[in-house]
Amino acid sequence: MKRPLLLASIGFAAALCAAGTPEKPPQGLGETEIARAVRELTDPDQEVRTKAFDRLLEWGVADPDRILAALPENPEDAELAESCRRLLERLVLEGAKRKALKDADGIPDLKEGAENLFARPSPLALQEYWRVSRKRGRPGAGVFAAFTRHPDPELKKSALGILANDRNPQSAESVHRLLADADPDVRLTAASVSAFFPKDDRIAEGLAKLLSDEDARIRACAAQGLRGMESRASANALIRVLKDEDRNCRYAAAETLGFWQVPEAKAAILSLLSDPDERVRQSAIASVGHYKDRRLSARIAPLLEDPDPQTRQV
C-alpha cells in the first residue's frame, strides 16, 4: 500500500514563522541523530515520517550545509526521493540566501538582486545576481555552489555556467559532484565546463567514467573535455571510445588521443582513416599529424583522393 507523501506539520511551520531563523544549530546535535532522522523518512508510520521531516527542516534552517550533506543524493525509494527533493529546495535556498545577504551587506543593488533571486528563483534571476555581484567585486561563489544542490536541473545548469568563470576549489567540487548527477542534461553541462579545471584529478576521473555514459552526447563531451587532463587511465578509456557507435564520440576521442600523442592509440587512430564519416576521417588525419611520424603520414596519402572535398584539404 502506497504511503501518502510526507508533509511538514502546520504547527512547526507556524512556529518557524513566529520564532524566526535560529542563529545556531541545536546544542549537542550529533551525526547519529541526523542519520536516524534521515532513516525515519521512510518509516511505515506517517507520524514518525512527519516528525523526522520537521526535525531535519528545523536543524537545516539552523545549519543547512550539514543537513544537506546527510541527505542521500539519488535515492531509489520514490517517497524518500520526494522528501529529499523538498528538503533540498528549502535548505539550499536558506543556505544560499544567508550567503547572499552577507555578501550584499552595505550594497543596495546587490541586496535587491539577492531579494529578487530568492523571491522567485530562476536561471535568469541567478544570472542577474551574478552580473551585479561581479560588478560590485563580490563573486559569491558560495551562493552559486549552493544552487548546484537545488533539485531544479535548470538552476543547476545555470549555476555551473557561472562557477566555470570562478575556477576555485569550491567550484571544482560542485562540477565534480554534478558529473554524476541523475539528470543527463546536468551531466552534459558539468562535462562541458570541466575543461576550465584541467588540474583537478577528481574531475578527470569523473570525465573518464562518463566515457561509458548511456548518452552519446555526454560521452563525446567527456572525450573532448579530457584534452587537457592526460593520464594513462583516461587514455585507455579513450582508445575504447574510438570504436564507439556514435561518430561524434569517435571524432572527439581521436582528437584528444592525437593531441596527447599516445603511442598505444596509433593503430586505432589509423583505422579511422577509413571511417564512413568524413568528420571522423578528418579528425584521424589531424591526429596522425600530431605524431610527426613520416611512416604514419604516408598512410594519409590515399585520402588526397577522398570523395569529401574538406577531407582532401585537411
Side-chain angles (χ1 to χ4, degrees):
M1 180 177 177
K2 186 175 179 181
R3 300 189 297 266
L5 289 178
L6 184 62
L7 298 174
S9 66
I10 296 175
F12 173 68
L16 264 184
C17 294
T21 301
E23 297 182 355
K24 57 183 180 179
Q27 292 289 332
L29 178 61
E31 303 303 323
T32 301
E33 193 169 2
I34 295 174
R36 182 186 303 116
V38 171
R39 289 196 302 272
E40 288 176 354
L41 289 175
T42 56
D43 193 274
D45 188 321
Q46 183 179 353
E47 184 177 354
V48 173
R49 298 196 304 274
T50 300
K51 288 182 177 179
F53 186 95
D54 287 353
R55 291 202 308 277
L56 287 167
L57 184 57
E58 180 181 14
W59 299 337
V61 169
D63 192 352
D65 292 339
R66 191 175 175 194
I67 301 304
L68 284 171
L71 296 177
E73 294 235 350
N74 300 304
E76 294 182 1
D77 182 90
E79 184 173 326
L80 178 59
E82 173 63 12
S83 297
C84 288
R85 185 197 67 77
R86 292 171 52 242
L87 278 167
L88 273 170
E89 184 171 3
R90 173 68 184 270
L91 299 183
V92 163
L93 292 177
E94 184 66 36
K97 185 176 182 180
R98 288 186 179 193
K99 293 180 176 71
L101 292 177
K102 183 179 180 181
D103 289 343
D105 187 32
I107 308 176
D109 57 348
L110 187 56
K111 183 179 180 181
E112 181 182 357
E115 289 172 345
N116 291 337
L117 171 60
F118 293 101
R120 292 185 178 179
S122 70
L124 183 61
L126 196 62
Q127 290 286 339
E128 178 60 20
Y129 174 77
W130 176 68
R131 186 189 67 78
V132 177
S133 67
R134 294 270 292 186
K135 179 180 177 182
R136 295 301 181 186
R138 301 288 181 90
V143 175
F144 306 116
F147 272 95
T148 65
R149 293 185 178 275
H150 196 282
D152 184 347
E154 295 304 316
L155 281 170
K156 286 182 179 179
K157 291 190 293 181
S158 183
L160 276 170
I162 292 170
L163 289 173
N165 291 275
D166 293 328
R167 309 178 197 180
N168 59 40
Q170 190 173 22
S171 300
E173 189 281 328
S174 297
V175 172
H176 170 252
R177 175 167 39 78
L178 293 187
L179 286 171
D181 194 82
D183 188 288
D185 288 335
V186 173
R187 295 199 303 277
L188 180 62
T189 303
S192 69
V193 304
S194 292
F196 291 102
F197 305 89
K199 296 181 179 180
D200 194 291
D201 292 339
R202 298 170 304 167
I203 289 179
E205 291 173 4
L207 286 173
K209 291 179 180 178
L210 288 183
L211 293 175
S212 58
D213 195 278
E214 61 183 16
D215 190 320
R217 300 173 305 157
I218 296 172
R219 296 197 302 274
C221 193
Q224 189 173 38
L226 280 167
R227 182 169 175 146
M229 310 178 189
E230 183 176 355
S231 72
R232 171 67 65 179
S234 296
N236 291 336
L238 280 167
I239 290 173
R240 292 191 291 273
V241 178
L242 292 174
K243 297 181 180 180
D244 196 288
E245 62 183 17
D246 183 84
R247 63 181 184 175
N248 292 321
C249 294
R250 298 195 302 275
Y251 174 88
E255 266 201 337
T256 298
L257 287 167
F259 182 75
W260 290 354
Q261 301 178 40
V262 177
E264 295 82 0
K266 288 182 181 180
I269 291 175
L270 286 171
S271 71
L272 295 183
L273 292 173
S274 57
D275 193 274
D277 185 81
E278 64 273 10
R279 287 183 68 248
V280 176
R281 295 198 300 276
Q282 292 163 22
S283 179
I285 294 170
S287 296
V288 169
H290 283 302
Y291 284 98
K292 299 178 181 179
D293 185 328
R294 291 183 179 179
R295 293 171 300 176
L296 294 180
S297 298
R299 299 283 297 273
I300 299 176
L303 278 87
L304 293 173
E305 299 179 4
D306 192 275
D308 177 65
Q310 289 188 340
T311 302
R312 294 198 298 269
Q313 293 174 12
V314 175

